[in-house]
Amino acid sequence: MNNNPQLNKNGELQHLLTTEGLPAPILLHILDTAESFVGVTERDVKKVPLLRGKSVFNLFFEPSTRTRTTFEIAAKRLSADVVNLNIAVSSQSKGETLLDTVNNLSAMHADMFVVRHSQSGAAHLIARHVRPEIHVINAGDGRHAHPTQGLLDMFTIRHYKRDFHNLRVAIVGDILHSRVARSQIHALTTLGTPEVRVIAPRTLLPAKVERLGVHVYHEMERGLKDVDVLLMLRLQNERMLSARLPSTEEYFKYYGLTQEKLALAKRDAIVLHPGPMNRGVEIDSAVADGKHSVILSQVTFGIAVRMAVMSILAGN
Amino acid sequence: MQLPDAEQLLASLTGRIRSDVAANTALVGIYTGGVWLAERLHHDLELALPMGTLDVSFYRDDFGQIGLHPQVKPSGIPFEVEGSHIILVDDVLYTGRTIRAAINELFDYGRPASIRLAALVDRGDRELPIAAQYVGATLKLPSDKMLALEKGIDAKLSLSLYNPKSGG
């Protein structure tokens, strides 16, 4: 037996809730499987029959058109039936509890739930509650985790850099509120990245972030020196207006990625961003559209990675 | 049990396919053994069209029972399937279920003019109405044994028989 709620009694992936605590072979199996799905998405018929007859429910308690769409495309390319529920504007406003909503959908014979929620731990709660034949994928919960984003970033890094064992990776921006950063840090560490840096103002760093095994920098000039991979984070609108930052102009001046700052990194460095981008806030357009940017590849690979996760879960 | 020599079987298979090869003939190997055979055939038959590879994991009918294969390899069909004459290549033809999956996958790339099947060994006991046009040898084997092609460090191919539990 194990205590990881994501694994079944055989140590196989039952739910994908976080990259934290997932062993390297499971992460690599997902990445390797995704390699095969990249080819499927380039064919005339972009569909395989693996999840034929299965029902995937996208439960979005927090709005996110982009993430929901990528999960929907991934499920449809596996031949599953997909139902999208924007619960922020339906049941919950009528007073139904989270678990009542899940019970109702389980009674409709759901096979898989893709869950996005503003509360950390929502996907865990559902995973503990559902029948053993139902699989849960966390599509982002509060500040906690966004594992498929972390995995697609790993896929993109491996695609361009081949291996994690010689890499210097910098995560830049609002680490404090970022579920993406947490998922990236756990995955990078498990896959053997020797040096992971975080670069942020003190007000946007969690206390004791060093415990995650990262090196902390407050200035781009020092933090970006000789890095191979730059993982930019989105500065959320509500943070811009908070007391944590003086102004977006000020943020851009110190932490916005411009070509001058990018020149401090290695010549063949790659730049990633989970989207949607705030041009002129965390990233300059010249960098976002420049030759180091692999941001649109992330979107393409994201479909293949989500197909891999869904098909592995459905088979376990 | 004495198994036939894989290299000899491949030589006779090559000879039989050679007489049917045309300018629009394309070979597609099924992972893993079928790809090794297709590579050799492709070289020896000097085919103009590049060789394709298939991993049928996404099309298998036992996904519901055993889940996804642990090591899926990318399929690659680097020629226009529409209108091509394809020869599928596999090492062992048994139940026919792998070939059914491979045919389904090919049709998701386009509509071939024809598909034929070459197998190094046909061990019978089909569960689907599938037949090979080119066969190296026909063997009758106990159902609890698995027959597979192996590739030595000298790239020589050989057949081996094992119990499914102890091997892949």
Side-chain angles (χ1 to χ4, degrees):
Chain A
M1 281 303 284
N2 56 66
N3 293 320
N4 193 328
Q6 308 190 84
L7 306 180
N8 65 19
K9 60 183 189 317
N10 300 324
E12 300 162 331
L13 203 63
Q14 170 73 14
H15 307 290
L16 180 65
L17 306 174
T18 166
T19 54
E20 184 177 5
L22 280 187
I26 287 186
L27 299 181
L28 291 169
H29 182 211
I30 294 170
L31 301 186
D32 292 344
T33 305
E35 299 278 0
S36 297
F37 281 119
V38 171
V40 171
T41 65
E42 288 166 352
R43 300 187 320 205
D44 257 11
V45 178
K46 299 173 185 59
K47 233 174 155 71
V48 295
L50 274 185
L51 265 60
R52 191 166 159 266
K54 303 281 184 200
S55 301
V56 175
F57 281 65
N58 274 330
L59 306 185
F60 278 64
F61 297 89
E62 175 183 271
S64 165
T65 312
R66 176 186 303 234
T67 302
R68 200 204 64 218
T69 306
T70 56
F71 274 106
E72 181 177 352
I73 292 169
K76 284 180 171 169
R77 287 189 181 164
L78 293 168
S79 305
D81 295 310
V82 187
V83 180
N84 290 314
L85 290 142
N86 289 320
I87 300 170
V89 293
S90 66
S91 312
Q92 291 220 310
S93 54
K94 294 177 184 163
E96 188 176 67
T97 71
L98 176 63
L99 293 180
D100 279 337
T101 303
V102 168
N103 283 341
N104 270 284
L105 299 172
S106 300
M108 298 176 201
H109 300 289
D111 295 290
M112 196 175 287
F113 290 124
V114 177
V115 182
R116 160 68 66 95
H117 203 290
S118 58
Q119 294 290 318
S120 300
H124 278 81
L125 177 69
I126 294 172
R128 278 199 302 273
H129 178 77
V130 293
R131 292 196 307 271
E133 63 272 22
I134 296 180
H135 304 279
V136 177
I137 300 176
N138 183 3
D141 61 329
R143 298 181 188 185
H144 174 244
H146 191 355
T148 57
Q149 178 69 46
L151 285 165
L152 79 87
D153 294 335
M154 297 309 112
F155 186 93
T156 308
I157 294 170
R158 194 175 74 160
H159 178 84
Y160 289 99
K161 297 294 175 190
R162 298 285 145 216
D163 190 15
F164 294 90
H165 289 94
N166 312 307
L167 292 184
R168 198 173 282 137
V169 179
I171 305 173
V172 186
D174 183 1
I175 314 286
L176 177 64
H177 300 99
S178 179
R179 54 194 172 208
V180 173
R182 279 169 190 72
S183 292
Q184 290 169 336
I185 291 168
H186 293 303
L188 284 166
T189 314
T190 305
L191 292 170
T193 314
E195 189 175 343
V196 181
R197 301 175 175 181
V198 294
I199 312 174
R202 285 168 212 282
T203 51
L204 294 180
L205 275 171
K208 307 202 174 82
V209 65
E210 303 83 355
R211 284 189 186 169
L212 297 175
V214 297
H215 303 265
V216 177
Y217 291 83
H218 300 296
E219 297 108 41
M220 294 283 265
E221 288 64 28
R222 290 181 52 230
L224 288 182
K225 191 141 176 45
D226 296 327
V227 302
D228 300 280
V229 177
L230 288 82
L231 302 172
M232 304 306 295
L233 297 174
R234 169 180 166 74
L235 190 68
Q236 290 168 324
N237 295 321
E238 55 270 34
R239 314 289 171 225
M240 297 179 197
L241 306 169
S242 78
R244 293 181 185 277
L245 290 176
S247 70
T248 53
E249 291 76 18
E250 185 102 342
Y251 183 84
F252 182 71
K253 183 179 164 201
Y254 290 105
Y255 295 98
L257 187 63
T258 58
Q259 284 186 311
E260 297 74 56
K261 291 186 193 125
L262 178 58
L264 299 164
K266 286 204 186 144
R267 284 172 58 138
D268 61 349
I270 53 171
V271 177
L272 290 80
H273 190 294
M277 284 185 283
N278 294 304
R279 289 169 182 263
V281 180
E282 70 262 2
I283 190 164
D284 191 36
S285 278
V287 175
D289 306 326
K291 65 179 173 27
H292 296 271
S293 166
V294 296
I295 295 167
L296 291 176
S297 298
Q298 285 176 270
V299 179
T300 307
F301 295 151
I303 306 276
V305 168
R306 287 175 176 122
M307 288 170 80
V309 169
M310 287 178 169
S311 56
I312 290 168
L313 288 177
N316 285 345
Chain B
M1 176 175 187
Q2 185 66 40
L3 291 169
D5 180 76
E7 289 289 336
Q8 278 179 16
L9 296 184
L10 176 57
S12 79
L13 200 60
T14 311
R16 250 169 293 163
I17 295 173
R18 191 184 300 278
S19 55
D20 289 350
V21 161
N24 57 0
T25 301
L27 288 178
V28 174
I30 300 173
Y31 276 110
T32 304
V35 171
W36 297 335
L37 293 168
E39 282 166 352
R40 294 277 297 275
L41 286 166
H42 188 264
H43 176 266
D44 293 346
L45 297 170
E46 297 169 58
L47 297 185
L49 288 175
M51 184 196 122
T53 58
L54 285 184
D55 184 315
V56 300
S57 296
F58 297 153
Y59 290 79
R60 293 180 64 100
D61 58 14
D62 54 5
F63 173 74
Q65 284 92 55
I66 62 170
L68 196 62
H69 192 275
Q71 286 152 339
V72 186
K73 296 183 190 66
S75 296
I77 305 292
F79 57 86
E80 187 66 51
V81 166
E82 199 78 26
S84 64
H85 290 277
I86 292 174
I87 301 177
L88 267 175
V89 184
D90 205 357
D91 48 2
V92 180
L93 176 59
Y94 186 19
T95 61
R97 288 174 191 269
T98 300
I99 305 305
R100 192 283 306 164
I103 293 170
N104 277 35
E105 179 161 5
L106 276 178
F107 274 80
D108 281 349
Y109 286 87
R111 180 180 183 270
S114 69
I115 302 179
R116 281 167 289 168
L117 174 61
L120 199 65
V121 175
D122 180 350
R123 59 176 289 187
D125 292 323
R126 216 80 76 235
E127 292 167 2
L128 294 172
I130 279 169
Q133 285 68 45
Y134 311 101
V135 175
T138 305
L139 293 178
K140 184 72 190 158
L141 296 167
S143 62
D144 61 340
K145 296 286 182 193
M146 205 151 142
L147 180 68
L149 193 65
E150 286 176 357
K151 192 177 183 178
I153 38 169
D154 54 357
K156 266 209 155 69
L157 299 174
S158 62
L159 287 164
S160 71
L161 205 57
Y162 55 91
N163 300 313
K165 278 279 173 226
S166 61

